[in-house]
Protein backbone atom coordinates (compact mmCIF):
# COMPACT_ATOMS: atom_id res chain seq x y z
CA UNK A 1 0.00 0.00 0.00
CA UNK A 2 1.32 3.49 -0.83
CA UNK A 3 2.25 5.86 1.98
CA UNK A 4 -0.62 8.24 2.77
CA UNK A 5 0.03 12.00 2.73
CA UNK A 6 -2.18 15.08 3.10
CA UNK A 7 -1.81 18.52 1.49
CA UNK A 8 0.84 19.93 3.83
CA UNK A 9 2.82 16.70 3.59
CA UNK A 10 2.55 16.74 -0.20
CA UNK A 11 3.98 20.25 -0.33
CA UNK A 12 6.87 19.16 1.90
CA UNK A 13 7.40 16.13 -0.34
CA UNK A 14 7.53 18.33 -3.44
CA UNK A 15 10.00 20.62 -1.68
CA UNK A 16 12.38 17.77 -0.83
CA UNK A 17 12.10 15.57 -3.94
CA UNK A 18 14.65 16.41 -6.68
CA UNK A 19 13.38 16.93 -10.22
CA UNK A 20 15.21 13.78 -11.35
CA UNK A 21 12.75 11.65 -9.39
CA UNK A 22 9.19 11.03 -10.55
CA UNK A 23 6.17 11.21 -8.26
CA UNK A 24 2.89 9.30 -8.57
CA UNK A 25 -0.20 10.37 -6.60
CA UNK A 26 -2.93 7.80 -5.99
CA UNK A 27 -6.43 8.93 -5.07
CA UNK A 28 -10.05 9.45 -6.02
CA UNK A 29 -11.12 12.07 -8.52
CA UNK A 30 -12.14 15.49 -7.25
CA UNK A 31 -9.82 15.67 -4.23
CA UNK A 32 -7.59 18.46 -5.50
CA UNK A 33 -4.49 16.71 -6.84
CA UNK A 34 -4.03 18.95 -9.87
CA UNK A 35 -5.02 22.13 -8.02
CA UNK A 36 -2.49 21.61 -5.23
CA UNK A 37 0.29 20.77 -7.68
CA UNK A 38 -0.50 23.70 -9.98
CA UNK A 39 -0.65 26.24 -7.14
CA UNK A 40 2.55 24.94 -5.55
CA UNK A 41 4.69 25.05 -8.70
CA UNK A 42 3.19 28.34 -9.89
CA UNK A 43 4.36 29.83 -6.59
CA UNK A 44 7.83 28.66 -7.64
CA UNK A 45 7.49 30.35 -11.03
CA UNK A 46 7.20 27.06 -12.97
CA UNK A 47 4.71 26.26 -15.72
CA UNK A 48 2.53 23.21 -15.16
CA UNK A 49 1.44 21.27 -18.27
CA UNK A 50 -1.38 18.79 -17.67
CA UNK A 51 -1.90 15.92 -20.10
CA UNK A 52 -5.05 13.83 -19.62
CA UNK A 53 -3.68 10.51 -20.82
CA UNK A 54 -7.02 8.74 -20.51
CA UNK A 55 -8.38 11.00 -23.26
CA UNK A 56 -5.52 10.42 -25.70
CA UNK A 57 -5.95 7.94 -28.54
CA UNK A 58 -2.61 8.27 -30.32
CA UNK A 59 1.03 8.58 -29.16
CA UNK A 60 1.33 11.54 -31.49
CA UNK A 61 -0.65 13.55 -28.94
CA UNK A 62 2.39 13.29 -26.69
CA UNK A 63 5.44 13.01 -28.93
CA UNK A 64 4.21 15.16 -31.83
CA UNK A 65 3.60 14.33 -35.50
CA UNK A 66 6.21 12.72 -37.76
CA UNK A 67 7.68 14.61 -40.71
CA UNK A 68 10.30 13.75 -43.33
CA UNK A 69 13.53 15.78 -43.16
CA UNK A 70 16.10 15.80 -45.99
CA UNK A 71 19.80 16.40 -45.29
CA UNK A 72 22.87 16.77 -47.49
CA UNK A 73 26.19 15.24 -46.52
CA UNK A 74 29.62 16.72 -47.36
CA UNK A 75 29.58 15.08 -50.77
CA UNK A 76 26.19 16.47 -51.70
CA UNK A 77 24.29 13.24 -51.25
CA UNK A 78 20.73 13.74 -50.03
CA UNK A 79 19.34 11.49 -47.31
CA UNK A 80 15.97 11.59 -45.65
CA UNK A 81 14.94 10.68 -42.15
CA UNK A 82 11.83 10.89 -39.99
CA UNK A 83 11.67 13.53 -37.32
CA UNK A 84 8.89 14.53 -34.94
CA UNK A 85 7.61 18.06 -34.70
CA UNK A 86 7.39 19.09 -31.04
CA UNK A 87 3.85 18.80 -29.62
CA UNK A 88 1.99 21.95 -28.64
CA UNK A 89 2.99 21.67 -24.98
CA UNK A 90 6.72 21.02 -25.41
CA UNK A 91 8.89 23.80 -23.86
CA UNK A 92 10.76 25.15 -26.90
CA UNK A 93 12.05 28.09 -24.83
CA UNK A 94 14.33 25.78 -22.82
CA UNK A 95 12.69 26.61 -19.48
CA UNK A 96 11.95 23.67 -17.15
CA UNK A 97 8.32 22.64 -16.75
CA UNK A 98 6.21 20.39 -14.58
CA UNK A 99 4.65 17.69 -16.75
CA UNK A 100 1.57 16.38 -14.95
CA UNK A 101 0.41 13.07 -16.43
CA UNK A 102 -3.16 12.76 -15.20
CA UNK A 103 -5.22 9.56 -15.50
CA UNK A 104 -2.07 7.50 -16.08
CA UNK A 105 -3.82 4.21 -15.36
CA UNK A 106 -6.65 5.02 -17.76
CA UNK A 107 -4.29 5.43 -20.73
CA UNK A 108 -4.08 3.06 -23.70
CA UNK A 109 -1.10 0.65 -23.70
CA UNK A 110 0.50 2.44 -26.67
CA UNK A 111 0.34 5.72 -24.74
CA UNK A 112 2.00 4.08 -21.73
CA UNK A 113 4.83 2.85 -23.93
CA UNK A 114 5.53 6.43 -24.93
CA UNK A 115 5.57 7.46 -21.27
CA UNK A 116 8.23 4.84 -20.41
CA UNK A 117 11.13 6.73 -22.06
CA UNK A 118 9.84 10.01 -20.71
CA UNK A 119 9.93 8.81 -17.09
CA UNK A 120 13.35 7.19 -17.37
CA UNK A 121 15.33 9.52 -19.63
CA UNK A 122 13.20 12.70 -19.75
CA UNK A 123 13.06 12.27 -23.53
CA UNK A 124 10.32 12.22 -26.14
CA UNK A 125 11.20 11.07 -29.67
CA UNK A 126 14.82 12.01 -29.01
CA UNK A 127 14.02 15.46 -27.63
CA UNK A 128 14.95 16.10 -24.00
CA UNK A 129 12.91 18.04 -21.51
CA UNK A 130 14.82 21.06 -20.15
CA UNK A 131 16.97 20.28 -17.14
CA UNK A 132 15.07 20.77 -13.90
CA UNK A 133 11.74 19.60 -15.34
CA UNK A 134 9.49 17.45 -13.16
CA UNK A 135 7.37 14.48 -14.22
CA UNK A 136 4.42 13.83 -11.91
CA UNK A 137 1.55 11.45 -12.52
CA UNK A 138 -1.84 10.85 -10.94
CA UNK A 139 -3.80 7.62 -10.96
CA UNK A 140 -7.36 6.85 -9.90
CA UNK A 141 -7.90 4.05 -7.43
CA UNK A 142 -11.16 2.19 -6.87
CA UNK A 143 -13.53 -0.39 -8.29
CA UNK A 144 -15.67 2.33 -9.88
CA UNK A 145 -12.99 3.17 -12.49
CA UNK A 146 -12.17 1.44 -15.78
CA UNK A 147 -8.42 1.11 -15.37
CA UNK A 148 -5.40 -0.15 -17.27
CA UNK A 149 -2.93 -2.39 -15.45
CA UNK A 150 0.40 -0.59 -15.24
CA UNK A 151 3.66 -2.29 -16.18
CA UNK A 152 5.76 -2.96 -13.03
CA UNK A 153 8.74 -1.46 -14.87
CA UNK A 154 6.82 1.80 -15.29
CA UNK A 155 5.55 1.79 -11.72
CA UNK A 156 9.10 1.29 -10.40
CA UNK A 157 10.11 4.64 -11.89
CA UNK A 158 7.87 6.57 -9.51
CA UNK A 159 7.84 7.48 -5.84
CA UNK A 160 4.24 6.54 -4.98
CA UNK A 161 1.99 8.26 -2.41
CA UNK A 162 -1.69 8.00 -1.64
CA UNK A 163 -2.96 11.56 -1.59
CA UNK A 164 -5.72 12.09 0.96
CA UNK A 165 -6.29 15.67 2.16
CA UNK A 166 -7.70 15.93 5.65
CA UNK A 167 -11.20 17.22 6.31
CA UNK A 168 -9.62 20.10 8.24
CA UNK A 169 -7.57 21.10 5.18
CA UNK A 170 -10.67 21.05 2.98
CA UNK A 171 -12.64 23.15 5.47
CA UNK A 172 -9.85 25.70 5.64
CA UNK A 173 -9.68 25.81 1.84
CA UNK A 174 -13.47 26.15 1.66
CA UNK A 175 -13.44 29.11 4.03
CA UNK A 176 -10.70 30.79 2.01
CA UNK A 177 -12.66 30.26 -1.20
CA UNK A 178 -15.80 31.75 0.45
CA UNK A 179 -17.92 28.64 0.04
CA UNK A 180 -21.44 28.80 1.41
CA UNK A 181 -21.39 28.60 5.23
CA UNK A 182 -24.15 25.98 5.21
CA UNK A 183 -21.97 23.64 3.18
CA UNK A 184 -18.95 24.27 5.42
CA UNK A 185 -20.96 23.71 8.59
CA UNK A 186 -22.50 20.53 7.23
CA UNK A 187 -19.13 18.99 6.37
CA UNK A 188 -17.68 20.05 9.71
CA UNK A 189 -20.57 18.33 11.47
CA UNK A 190 -20.69 15.36 9.08
CA UNK A 191 -17.14 14.78 7.78
CA UNK A 192 -17.91 11.30 6.44
CA UNK A 193 -19.98 12.91 3.67
CA UNK A 194 -17.03 14.88 2.27
CA UNK A 195 -15.86 11.98 0.12
CA UNK A 196 -19.17 10.13 0.01
CA UNK A 197 -20.67 7.70 2.50
CA UNK A 198 -19.39 4.17 1.90
CA UNK A 199 -22.49 2.79 3.62
CA UNK A 200 -24.82 4.56 1.20
CA UNK A 201 -26.52 1.89 -0.92
CA UNK A 202 -26.44 2.63 -4.61
CA UNK A 203 -29.01 1.63 -7.19
CA UNK A 204 -27.87 0.23 -10.50
CA UNK A 205 -27.97 2.98 -13.11
CA UNK A 206 -25.13 1.58 -15.24
CA UNK A 207 -22.47 3.87 -13.85
CA UNK A 208 -24.64 6.99 -13.62
CA UNK A 209 -24.89 7.03 -9.82
CA UNK A 210 -23.83 10.33 -8.33
CA UNK A 211 -21.89 10.38 -5.09
CA UNK A 212 -20.44 13.14 -3.00
CA UNK A 213 -16.85 14.28 -3.42
CA UNK A 214 -14.91 17.45 -2.72
CA UNK A 215 -15.44 18.93 -6.15
CA UNK A 216 -19.17 18.24 -5.92
CA UNK A 217 -19.52 20.07 -2.59
CA UNK A 218 -17.98 23.12 -4.24
CA UNK A 219 -20.70 22.86 -6.88
CA UNK A 220 -23.35 22.61 -4.15
CA UNK A 221 -21.92 25.77 -2.61
CA UNK A 222 -22.18 27.59 -5.94
CA UNK A 223 -25.89 26.77 -5.95
CA UNK A 224 -26.50 27.54 -2.28
CA UNK A 225 -24.93 30.99 -2.55
CA UNK A 226 -28.00 31.90 -4.64
CA UNK A 227 -30.51 30.20 -2.31
CA UNK A 228 -32.15 31.51 0.83
CA UNK A 229 -34.97 29.17 1.81
CA UNK A 230 -34.54 25.67 0.39
CA UNK A 231 -37.40 24.63 -1.90
CA UNK A 232 -38.19 21.32 -3.56
CA UNK A 233 -36.37 22.23 -6.78
CA UNK A 234 -33.23 23.01 -4.79
CA UNK A 235 -33.35 19.54 -3.24
CA UNK A 236 -33.48 18.01 -6.71
CA UNK A 237 -30.61 20.14 -7.97
CA UNK A 238 -28.39 19.24 -5.00
CA UNK A 239 -29.26 15.54 -5.34
CA UNK A 240 -28.08 15.71 -8.94
CA UNK A 241 -24.72 17.03 -7.74
CA UNK A 242 -23.89 14.85 -4.73
CA UNK A 243 -26.43 12.04 -4.90
CA UNK A 244 -29.70 11.47 -3.07
CA UNK A 245 -28.20 10.27 0.22
CA UNK A 246 -25.80 13.17 0.69
CA UNK A 247 -28.42 15.68 -0.48
CA UNK A 248 -30.99 14.40 2.03
CA UNK A 249 -28.46 14.57 4.88
CA UNK A 250 -27.36 18.07 3.88
CA UNK A 251 -30.88 19.48 3.55
CA UNK A 252 -31.99 17.87 6.81
CA UNK A 253 -28.99 19.44 8.56
CA UNK A 254 -29.70 22.90 7.13
CA UNK A 255 -33.35 22.77 8.08
CA UNK A 256 -32.86 21.37 11.60
CA UNK A 257 -29.67 22.98 12.79
CA UNK A 258 -28.84 26.65 12.41
CA UNK A 259 -25.37 26.70 13.99
CA UNK A 260 -23.56 29.90 14.98
CA UNK A 261 -20.45 30.43 12.85
CA UNK A 262 -17.15 31.93 13.90
CA UNK A 263 -17.87 34.94 11.71
CA UNK A 264 -21.23 35.54 13.41
CA UNK A 265 -19.74 35.13 16.89
CA UNK A 266 -16.87 37.56 16.32
CA UNK A 267 -18.85 40.19 14.42
CA UNK A 268 -22.24 39.85 16.16
CA UNK A 269 -21.26 38.71 19.64
CA UNK A 270 -24.13 40.21 21.63
CA UNK A 271 -26.66 38.74 19.23
CA UNK A 272 -25.19 35.22 19.29
CA UNK A 273 -23.83 34.63 22.80
CA UNK A 274 -27.22 33.71 24.28
CA UNK A 275 -27.40 30.79 21.88
CA UNK A 276 -23.78 29.84 22.51
CA UNK A 277 -24.32 29.75 26.26
CA UNK A 278 -26.56 26.69 25.80
CA UNK A 279 -24.03 24.76 23.72
CA UNK A 280 -22.78 21.28 24.58
CA UNK A 281 -19.07 20.44 24.33
CA UNK A 282 -19.27 19.00 20.79
CA UNK A 283 -20.99 22.20 19.64
CA UNK A 284 -18.25 24.31 21.21
CA UNK A 285 -15.66 22.21 19.36
CA UNK A 286 -17.35 23.01 16.05
CA UNK A 287 -17.67 26.71 16.91
CA UNK A 288 -14.02 26.94 18.06
CA UNK A 289 -12.78 25.49 14.78
CA UNK A 290 -15.01 27.93 12.91
CA UNK A 291 -13.54 30.88 14.86
CA UNK A 292 -9.99 29.93 13.89
CA UNK A 293 -11.00 29.25 10.30
CA UNK A 294 -12.66 32.67 10.05
CA UNK A 295 -9.61 34.49 11.45
CA UNK A 296 -7.38 32.49 9.12
CA UNK A 297 -9.19 33.55 5.96
CA UNK A 298 -11.08 36.76 6.72
CA UNK A 299 -10.21 39.97 4.90
CA UNK A 300 -11.24 42.50 7.56
CA UNK A 301 -11.13 46.28 7.53
CA UNK A 302 -9.81 48.13 10.58
CA UNK A 303 -13.22 48.49 12.19
CA UNK A 304 -13.95 44.79 11.79
CA UNK A 305 -10.51 43.87 13.16
CA UNK A 306 -11.14 45.86 16.33
CA UNK A 307 -14.61 44.38 16.71
CA UNK A 308 -13.41 40.81 16.11
CA UNK A 309 -10.52 41.26 18.56
CA UNK A 310 -12.84 42.65 21.24
CA UNK A 311 -15.36 39.85 20.80
CA UNK A 312 -12.63 37.20 20.72
CA UNK A 313 -11.54 38.46 24.13
CA UNK A 314 -15.12 38.34 25.40
CA UNK A 315 -15.58 34.80 24.11
CA UNK A 316 -12.39 33.41 25.66
CA UNK A 317 -13.24 35.20 28.93
CA UNK A 318 -16.67 33.56 28.79
CA UNK A 319 -15.08 30.14 28.38
CA UNK A 320 -12.64 30.78 31.20
CA UNK A 321 -15.11 32.17 33.77
CA UNK A 322 -18.24 30.11 33.13
CA UNK A 323 -16.98 26.62 33.93
CA UNK A 324 -16.36 25.88 30.28
CA UNK A 325 -12.86 24.54 30.90
CA UNK A 326 -13.25 21.65 28.46
CA UNK A 327 -14.37 24.04 25.73
CA UNK A 328 -11.44 26.33 26.54
CA UNK A 329 -9.10 23.34 26.46
CA UNK A 330 -10.42 22.50 23.00
CA UNK A 331 -9.92 26.11 21.84
CA UNK A 332 -6.37 26.04 23.23
CA UNK A 333 -5.56 22.72 21.53
CA UNK A 334 -6.46 24.24 18.16
CA UNK A 335 -4.24 27.22 19.00
CA UNK A 336 -1.38 24.95 20.08
CA UNK A 337 -1.44 22.87 16.89
CA UNK A 338 -0.52 25.98 14.90
CA UNK A 339 -2.53 24.91 11.85
CA UNK A 340 -4.15 28.33 11.51
CA UNK A 341 -1.05 30.52 11.30
CA UNK A 342 -2.82 33.68 10.15
CA UNK A 343 -5.34 33.35 12.99
CA UNK A 344 -2.47 33.30 15.48
CA UNK A 345 -0.90 36.31 13.76
CA UNK A 346 -4.24 38.10 14.14
CA UNK A 347 -4.15 37.43 17.89
CA UNK A 348 -0.56 38.63 18.24
CA UNK A 349 -1.31 41.88 16.42
CA UNK A 350 -4.89 42.62 17.50
CA UNK A 351 -5.66 40.54 20.59
CA UNK A 352 -2.43 40.21 22.55
CA UNK A 353 -4.24 39.48 25.81
CA UNK A 354 -5.95 36.47 24.28
CA UNK A 355 -2.64 35.26 22.84
CA UNK A 356 -0.91 35.56 26.21
CA UNK A 357 -3.79 33.85 28.02
CA UNK A 358 -3.72 30.89 25.65
CA UNK A 359 0.03 30.51 26.02
CA UNK A 360 -0.35 30.51 29.80
CA UNK A 361 -3.09 27.92 29.54
CA UNK A 362 -0.84 25.73 27.39
CA UNK A 363 1.97 25.93 29.96
CA UNK A 364 -0.39 24.74 32.70
CA UNK A 365 -1.56 21.70 30.78
Amino acid sequence: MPVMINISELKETLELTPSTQNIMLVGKHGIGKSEVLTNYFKSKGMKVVTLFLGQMSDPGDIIGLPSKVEKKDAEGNVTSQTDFSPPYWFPVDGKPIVLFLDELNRARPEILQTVMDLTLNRKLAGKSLPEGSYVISAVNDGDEYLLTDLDPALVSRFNIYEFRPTVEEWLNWAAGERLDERVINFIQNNPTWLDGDTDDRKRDYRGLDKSADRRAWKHVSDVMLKVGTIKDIHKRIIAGIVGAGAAAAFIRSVQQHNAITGKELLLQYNKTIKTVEKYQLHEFAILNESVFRFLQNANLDEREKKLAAKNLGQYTDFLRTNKKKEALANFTSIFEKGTYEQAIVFMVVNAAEVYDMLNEFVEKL
Side-chain angles (χ1 to χ4, degrees), residues 155-168:
V155 173
S156 69
R157 298 175 185 180
F158 288 90
N159 304 341
I160 305 177
Y161 307 99
E162 181 180 355
F163 180 55
R164 187 177 296 181
T166 65
V167 175
E168 183 180 82

Side-chain angles (χ1 to χ4, degrees), residues 241-291:
I241 300 173
V242 294
F250 170 69
I251 292 165
R252 185 166 57 249
S253 172
V254 171
Q255 292 177 337
Q256 293 179 353
H257 185 65
N258 190 19
I260 300 299
T261 66
K263 178 180 180 180
E264 291 168 338
L265 179 73
L266 296 185
L267 299 184
Q268 304 175 50
Y269 185 81
N270 293 333
K271 181 179 178 181
T272 58
I273 190 59
K274 293 296 182 182
T275 300
V276 172
E277 287 175 350
K278 303 173 185 177
Y279 272 12
Q280 301 297 313
L281 179 58
H282 72 279
E283 293 173 305
F284 275 112
I286 293 170
L287 176 59
N288 289 343
E289 197 82 40
S290 183
V291 167

Side-chain angles (χ1 to χ4, degrees), residues 26 34 43 82 218 308 322 327 339 353:
V26 182
S34 59
S43 72
T82 300
K218 168 63 168 62
N322 286 270
T339 303
E353 293 182 359

Side-chain angles (χ1 to χ4, degrees), residues 26-283:
V26 182
K28 292 181 64 176
H29 65 277
I31 60 175
K33 297 186 290 291
S34 59
E35 182 176 2
V36 172
L37 288 172
T38 299
N39 290 341
Y40 173 82
F41 283 108
K42 278 187 175 180
S43 72
K44 303 290 184 180
M46 295 188 69
K47 180 181 179 181
V48 178
V49 176
T50 302
L51 301 180
F52 294 97
L53 301 188
Q55 301 175 18
M56 293 184 173
S57 59
D58 188 275
D61 294 335
I62 299 179
I63 63 176
L65 298 176
S67 60
K68 186 174 292 186
V69 178
E70 294 185 348
K71 292 185 178 181
K72 288 185 179 180
D73 59 20
E75 299 176 355
N77 298 316
V78 178
T79 59
S80 62
Q81 63 184 38
T82 300
D83 195 6
F84 288 83
S85 302
Y88 72 93
W89 58 265
F90 197 86
V92 294
D93 58 3
K95 295 181 180 179
I97 64 168
V98 179
L99 188 57
F100 181 45
L101 307 175
D102 205 358
E103 302 177 341
L104 182 68
N105 59 340
R106 300 181 72 179
R108 295 170 178 266
E110 56 269 27
I111 299 294
L112 293 177
Q113 288 298 318
T114 303
V115 171
M116 291 282 279
D117 191 35
L118 178 65
T119 56
L120 182 62
N121 301 310
R122 294 293 196 278
K123 287 185 177 181
L124 281 174
K127 295 181 176 63
S128 298
L129 290 176
E131 186 175 352
S133 294
Y134 287 81
V135 176
I136 299 176
S137 71
V139 300
N140 295 322
D141 182 45
D143 296 335
E144 66 268 35
Y145 303 109
L146 297 176
L147 305 177
T148 304
D149 290 335
L150 296 179
D151 190 316
L154 176 61
V155 173
S156 69
R157 298 175 185 180
F158 288 90
N159 304 341
I160 305 177
Y161 307 99
E162 181 180 355
F163 180 55
R164 187 177 296 181
T166 65
V167 175
E168 183 180 82
E169 287 175 329
W170 186 87
L171 289 169
N172 195 30
W173 168 85
E177 292 294 314
R178 304 294 191 269
L179 265 63
D180 190 273
E181 285 285 349
R182 290 165 290 185
V183 172
I184 295 174
N185 290 338
F186 172 72
I187 296 300
Q188 186 171 354
N189 288 316
N190 306 273
T192 57
W193 280 113
L194 179 58
D195 296 306
D197 190 334
T198 55
D199 294 329
D200 186 30
R201 293 185 178 181
K202 295 181 178 180
R203 298 165 63 188
D204 183 13
Y205 283 114
R206 298 184 180 181
L208 295 180
D209 285 298
K210 284 294 294 184
S211 60
D213 59 41
R214 299 169 189 231
R215 182 186 299 138
W217 285 116
K218 168 63 168 62
H219 295 168
V220 171
S221 172
D222 293 341
V223 172
M224 291 301 296
L225 287 171
K226 303 176 182 179
V227 172
T229 302
I230 295 179
K231 300 179 181 178
D232 187 63
I233 183 59
H234 304 139
K235 299 176 184 179
R236 295 173 180 272
I237 293 171
I238 295 168
I241 300 173
V242 294
F250 170 69
I251 292 165
R252 185 166 57 249
S253 172
V254 171
Q255 292 177 337
Q256 293 179 353
H257 185 65
N258 190 19
I260 300 299
T261 66
K263 178 180 180 180
E264 291 168 338
L265 179 73
L266 296 185
L267 299 184
Q268 304 175 50
Y269 185 81
N270 293 333
K271 181 179 178 181
T272 58
I273 190 59
K274 293 296 182 182
T275 300
V276 172
E277 287 175 350
K278 303 173 185 177
Y279 272 12
Q280 301 297 313
L281 179 58
H282 72 279
E283 293 173 305

